Amino acid sequence: MSLDYTSLARTIAALTNGETDEVALMATIVCELHHADERFDWTGFYRVTEPGLLKIGPYQGGHGCLQIPFDRGVCGAAARTGEVQLVPDVDAFPGHIACASSTRSELVLPVRNSQGDIIAVLDIDSDKPDAFTEADAEGLAAILNDCFTR
């Protein structure tokens, strides 16, 4: 399944127009994303709450890990490097944290504010292997950029 990211971006922009609260933005974005694609088994944000540490933010799906240090897992790698992590097989990722045993593949994007600081990561897990593409990463990055760097 391929998402129409242009249409999804318009919907999210309309829903978040004028909103500046980061948690409100995250909650709205994650709700729209999670219900837009059957590949998205767990969809959520981990927020940077102190140097080197992510804590769970708004999410949809089963329970997530409560805290993730920057030096662990796929989310930590995205926060530490500032780069998108597209992982077709989580079992092959060194140091993967299995918050859910059903996760087979993962896509994690850093979230930056208007000053360029990483304030969170968007984590999308799938119970299907090799579920995500570069097109997914690009579409999601555009949505995040539109919402958090206004």
Side-chain angles (χ1 to χ4, degrees), residues 73-86:
V74 181
C75 291
R80 184 177 66 254
T81 65
E83 297 175 2
V84 172
Q85 302 293 308
L86 179 59

Side-chain angles (χ1 to χ4, degrees), residues 42 46 56 59 61-68 99-100 123 125:
W42 192 94
Y46 283 95
I56 197 160
Y59 69 94
H63 292 288
C65 296
L66 296 180
Q67 298 183 42
I68 300 176
C99 295
D123 179 18
D125 298 351

Side-chain angles (χ1 to χ4, degrees), residues 47-118:
R47 300 174 303 113
V48 177
T49 58
E50 61 186 78
L53 185 66
L54 298 165
K55 286 194 179 184
I56 197 160
Y59 69 94
Q60 300 268 318
H63 292 288
C65 296
L66 296 180
Q67 298 183 42
I68 300 176
F70 278 27
D71 63 354
R72 295 207 46 225
V74 181
C75 291
R80 184 177 66 254
T81 65
E83 297 175 2
V84 172
Q85 302 293 308
L86 179 59
V87 182
D89 177 4
V90 296
D91 292 331
F93 188 91
H96 173 255
I97 302 169
C99 295
S101 61
S102 61
T103 301
R104 305 274 44 96
S105 58
E106 193 166 354
L107 175 58
V108 182
L109 296 94
V111 179
R112 297 179 190 277
N113 63 16
S114 59
Q115 290 80 40
D117 301 319
I118 295 175

